[in-house]
Amino acid sequence: AQKITQTQPGMFVQEKEAVTLDCTYDTSDQSYGLFWYKQPSSGEMIFLIYQGSYDEQNATEGRYSLNFQKARKSANLVISASQLGDSAMYFCAMREGTSNTGKLIFGQGTTLQVKP
Amino acid sequence: DGGITQSPKYLFRKEGQNVTLSCEQNLNHDAMYWYRQDPGQGLRLIYYSQIVNDFQKGDIAEGYSVSREKKESFPLTVTSAQKNPTAFYLCASSIYEGGGNEQFFGPGTRLTVL
C-alpha cells in the first residue's frame, strides 16, 4: 500500500538560511508523482512543486527544489533563503499512476518556523 | 477569476443533524475531491469523483455522502452516522489533461459539532 512518511513534526530555521524537509514514500508502482504543498495558518493549501517518477532532473520552482532520490524513495523539499512568510505547515503527497485525476495520499506534515 | 469556492467558511451543527458542505469550481476541471483534516494532522481522502455522475470512496468515507450531478459542483453531506465530524474540510479539483499536474484546493470549511 502506498504511504508517505514525514518524520519531522517541527523544524526551526533562521531567516535567509536554507532548510530541508524530509519525505519518504512507499509504493509498488513504477509510475507516480510527488507533490509538496504549503499550508499557512489560514488553512489554504498552496501547491509548491511536483516531481514525476520518470523525471530525470530534480524539480525546481524559484526558491523551492525537490531532492528526488528514487532508489531511496525520498523526495525532500529544499527551501533556500528562508523568509518569515515561509512559516507554515508543509505536506508531502504522492499520486500513483499517470492520471492527473488520481487520488493523493498525504504525509502528516512538518511545521516550519522561520526565526528573524 | 477561476477557482474553487467552499461555503460556508465556518459551520456549527448539533449532534444528530445532517449538514451539507458546498464546493463549486469554475476551472472546468474533471475531477473533484473531499479531504478531512484534524488538528496537526495530514489530509485524509473522504470521496473523489473523476467524472460527472460517478464517485469513489476514499479512506474514510463512512458517515459521509456525496453527489456529482454537475461538473462544477461536488457537495459533501456529513451525516449523523459520522461519529466525530468536527474537523476542517477541504475540497480540491484537478484537470485530466491540458493543465498542470497538481490538485487545486478551496479555502476550506471548519465544521464544529456542538
Side-chain angles (χ1 to χ4, degrees):
Chain A
Q2 54 178 325
K3 186 179 179 181
I4 293 283
T5 302
Q6 294 180 253
T7 57
Q8 306 155 313
M11 293 275 290
F12 288 92
V13 65
Q14 205 68 35
E15 192 179 9
K16 299 181 185 177
E17 292 185 350
V19 63
T20 297
L21 307 184
D22 294 341
C23 173
T24 58
Y25 61 91
D26 189 19
T27 180
S28 56
D29 268 21
Q30 296 301 309
S31 179
Y32 51 89
L34 296 156
F35 302 79
W36 278 93
Y37 282 85
K38 172 184 178 181
Q39 187 179 42
S41 56
S42 58
E44 63 191 301
M45 294 287 285
I46 302 168
F47 167 72
L48 297 177
I49 197 166
Y50 167 81
Q51 179 85 42
S53 58
Y54 294 117
D55 294 341
E56 294 184 353
Q57 302 283 338
N58 283 347
T60 61
E61 290 287 347
R63 294 187 298 112
Y64 305 106
S65 60
L66 199 153
N67 184 2
F68 181 44
Q69 297 187 44
K70 197 169 182 177
R72 297 180 60 187
K73 293 190 175 180
S74 74
N76 298 341
L77 177 70
V78 180
I79 305 175
S80 63
S82 296
Q83 302 172 356
L84 296 177
D86 293 336
S87 294
M89 198 153 184
Y90 290 80
F91 291 98
C92 180
M94 177 174 66
R95 181 175 62 212
E96 289 182 334
T98 56
S99 171
N100 285 345
T101 56
K103 59 183 183 178
L104 290 182
I105 300 296
F106 284 84
Q108 292 290 89
T110 295
T111 300
L112 177 66
Q113 293 192 38
V114 181
K115 298 191 287 186
Chain B
D1 275 340
I4 303 175
T5 57
Q6 292 186 242
S7 60
K9 186 173 182 180
Y10 298 96
L11 188 57
F12 297 91
R13 181 195 108 173
K14 292 182 180 180
E15 277 193 44
Q17 288 182 336
N18 291 357
V19 62
T20 297
L21 281 58
S22 168
C23 178
E24 304 276 333
Q25 54 97 1
N26 61 3
L27 300 165
N28 198 32
H29 280 182
D30 306 282
M32 297 185 74
Y33 313 80
W34 274 106
Y35 294 92
R36 169 183 171 139
Q37 186 179 27
D38 293 289
Q41 302 296 313
L43 279 66
R44 292 183 291 168
L45 184 65
I46 304 172
Y47 270 99
Y48 67 109
S49 167
Q50 295 175 306
I51 195 169
V52 175
N53 292 322
D54 188 42
F55 48 83
Q56 289 80 39
K57 292 182 179 180
D59 300 317
I60 54 166
E62 185 175 351
Y64 300 97
S65 66
V66 293
S67 63
R68 187 90 187 276
E69 297 176 1
K70 299 187 299 183
K71 190 175 186 179
E72 308 79 32
S73 179
F74 191 42
L76 174 74
T77 297
V78 185
T79 74
S80 56
Q82 169 49 235
K83 297 284 187 260
N84 184 19
T86 295
F88 186 49
Y89 291 87
L90 285 155
C91 178
S93 69
S94 64
I95 195 165
Y96 180 69
E97 61 181 12
N101 298 291
E102 71 271 27
Q103 288 183 11
F104 290 81
F105 282 82
T109 293
R110 293 192 185 275
L111 173 64
T112 302
V113 174
L114 304 172

